[in-house]
Amino acid sequence: MELDLKLASKEINQLLYSSGRTLSTAESCTAGRIATIITAAPGSSNYYRGGLCCYAEDVKTQLLGVDADVMAEQTPVCEEVAKQMVTGANKLFKTDYAVAITGYAGPGGSPNGNVLVGTIWIAVGSKERLVTQVLSEDNGRDQNLASATVCAVRMLRDFLREDLANDSSEEA
């Protein structure tokens, strides 16, 4: 694991451990890579409740509550699906925070060609707030997945920094 990811994982660990908050993941294209980074830090069992690898659309709808109509209209790789995956993961695992990812890492994009290879949506959020980011560059499957994983972990770290800093300032 890259040093940058180890440091981000350690900071996520410290933020969640000290706050007593919990985390879950919902991963489609990355198939557990984000969960692997998060659980690399000792003590992650204190805050990481679980993750779901959800490649299939019916898994997204049945377990995470993603709206099938949204997937039919916008494809499974869109901002709204990523947002709904975060909401669903927080409900499913009863967590304070979740990170979700859905994308076409390669070799193919959407069946109708309207979403290109390399398009990956990432969402991080809580019940109160949610942020998203899209990656849209195709550098080959392996690099697409590596870039998406790094981006998701950094987004989570930054989200927690901001969210938990706001919590601290409200308590003071």
Side-chain angles (χ1 to χ4, degrees):
M1 184 185 324
E2 295 177 22
L3 179 60
D4 180 51
L5 284 176
K6 284 184 180 181
L7 294 173
S9 176
K10 184 177 179 182
E11 186 173 351
I12 290 166
N13 177 294
Q14 292 167 341
L15 289 163
L16 289 170
Y17 190 87
S18 64
S19 70
R21 303 288 174 85
T22 55
L23 174 68
S24 60
T25 55
E27 298 182 65
S28 187
C29 61
T30 50
R33 286 171 175 84
I34 298 166
T36 299
I37 305 275
I38 290 165
T39 58
S44 57
S45 61
N46 290 303
Y47 55 83
Y48 183 71
R49 293 191 41 88
L52 179 66
C53 290
C54 46
Y55 261 49
E57 289 180 32
D58 63 323
V59 172
K60 290 178 180 80
T61 57
Q62 292 171 12
L63 296 179
L64 295 176
V66 173
D67 187 332
D69 291 337
V70 170
M71 285 193 285
E73 292 165 12
Q74 300 180 41
T75 81
V77 177
C78 68
E79 182 178 31
E80 186 57 31
V81 167
K83 288 178 175 181
Q84 289 184 23
M85 288 171 66
V86 164
T87 301
N90 276 328
K91 286 180 184 173
L92 178 67
F93 291 102
K94 296 176 178 56
T95 51
D96 300 301
Y97 302 103
V99 57
I101 193 161
T102 184
Y104 293 120
S110 63
N112 60 9
N114 63 340
V115 181
L116 301 175
V117 175
T119 303
I120 300 173
W121 277 98
I122 305 164
V124 176
S126 63
K127 288 178 186 172
E128 295 79 28
R129 189 169 71 93
L130 214 141
V131 297
T132 61
Q133 183 172 342
V134 65
L135 305 177
S136 57
E137 193 172 317
D138 182 15
N139 294 304
R141 181 176 178 81
D142 290 341
Q143 187 55 49
N144 292 345
L145 292 172
S147 297
T149 301
V150 169
C151 183
V153 170
R154 288 178 180 162
M155 279 178 67
L156 174 61
R157 179 201 58 207
D158 295 346
F159 186 93
L160 292 173
R161 280 179 180 166
E162 185 177 331
D163 202 62
L164 294 172
N166 288 341
D167 255 17
S168 298
S169 64
E170 288 172 12
E171 292 173 7

